[in-house]
Amino acid sequence: MKHTVRSFSVGLLTSAVILLIVFYFIEEPVQSAKDMDAEKIIPLIEAEGYTVLSKEEYIELSIGKTEKDQEETETKEASPSENNETEQEESPTEEQNSTAEKEAEEENSPDESADEEEEIKEAQATYTLTISPGMASSDISSLLAENQIIQDASEFNSYLDEHDYSLQIQIGSYELTSDMSFYQIAERLAH
């Protein structure tokens, strides 16, 4: 027994030394962005298709765009033409027509919005999920899929496992709707 343990420990020591040699002497060291100079980083970034600007260039571009926008609006306001005058004369009637249309839409919109809300409520499935002790997350996913809260039970179960919700699910009853995202459902079940 003593010989076996000694052989095993020599094997572990040997493998650790080999890994140490490979890690420090054979592998090329990876540089982080903090270790590199800006002169070395810029060509790499530009090779990826990005454009690099200094702070001064960025400020000049942003100020230049706002100045151009202001100049364009000033030139439009400063050069009234005959067409603009006729448009200004016609615009009050257009404004009156548009306000009348808006008022008519507002009168009709409460009925339409109530109909839309009813359609949404009808299309939206609601289910009260009761979680009992010892219930697996796969059982929960299956129940939600059967009651049309989620589309795919295995996809939701994978989501619960990947984001560590499967171990945080609490016992109780929960009101769930089909318009809830996986995140919203998982958060409701876990808290």
Side-chain angles (χ1 to χ4, degrees):
M1 178 73 178
K2 193 176 193 182
H3 182 64
T4 307
V5 173
R6 201 177 280 165
S7 299
F8 183 70
S9 63
V10 168
L12 285 176
L13 180 65
T14 306
S15 62
V17 169
I18 291 171
L19 286 173
L20 182 70
I21 290 170
V22 169
F23 183 73
Y24 279 110
F25 299 112
I26 295 176
E27 287 235 352
E28 292 182 21
V30 178
Q31 288 184 337
S32 68
K34 293 178 183 177
D35 298 337
M36 295 178 72
D37 294 333
E39 296 167 355
K40 292 180 183 176
I41 294 175
I42 291 173
L44 295 174
I45 293 173
E46 289 176 342
E48 292 292 321
Y50 294 101
T51 303
V52 179
L53 299 175
S54 66
K55 286 183 180 178
E56 294 81 21
E57 291 172 332
Y58 175 74
I59 292 170
E60 287 176 14
L61 282 175
S62 62
I63 290 174
K65 286 182 182 178
T66 56
E67 288 177 358
K68 283 183 182 179
D69 293 341
Q70 288 177 352
E71 289 175 6
E72 288 176 3
T73 55
E74 289 174 4
T75 55
K76 287 179 182 177
E77 292 174 1
S79 61
S81 63
E82 293 178 13
N83 292 337
N84 288 342
E85 291 174 5
T86 56
E87 288 175 6
Q88 290 174 355
E89 291 173 4
E90 293 175 4
S91 63
T93 57
E94 290 176 8
E95 288 177 10
Q96 291 172 351
N97 291 339
S98 65
T99 54
E101 289 174 5
K102 287 179 185 177
E103 289 174 1
E105 289 177 9
E106 288 175 1
E107 291 174 5
N108 294 335
S109 65
D111 296 333
E112 292 173 5
S113 63
D115 293 339
E116 290 174 5
E117 288 177 11
E118 288 177 19
E119 290 175 11
I120 290 171
K121 286 180 183 177
E122 289 174 7
Q124 174 182 344
T126 303
Y127 176 65
T128 302
L129 174 67
T130 302
I131 299 175
S132 57
M135 196 171 195
S137 61
S138 58
D139 297 336
I140 295 169
S141 300
S142 298
L143 283 172
L144 293 176
E146 288 172 13
N147 291 290
Q148 299 174 348
I149 300 299
I150 58 173
Q151 298 293 324
D152 188 6
S154 61
E155 186 178 342
F156 181 67
N157 196 36
S158 297
Y159 178 84
L160 290 175
D161 290 338
E162 288 173 9
H163 295 90
D164 296 325
Y165 283 111
S166 57
L167 300 175
Q168 300 175 4
I169 294 175
Q170 302 294 315
I171 298 169
S173 295
Y174 303 95
E175 185 78 23
L176 304 171
T177 60
S178 59
D179 66 337
M180 295 173 78
S181 68
F182 283 179
Y183 171 77
Q184 292 170 329
I185 295 171
E187 281 293 313
R188 174 115 3 126
L189 298 177
H191 297 288

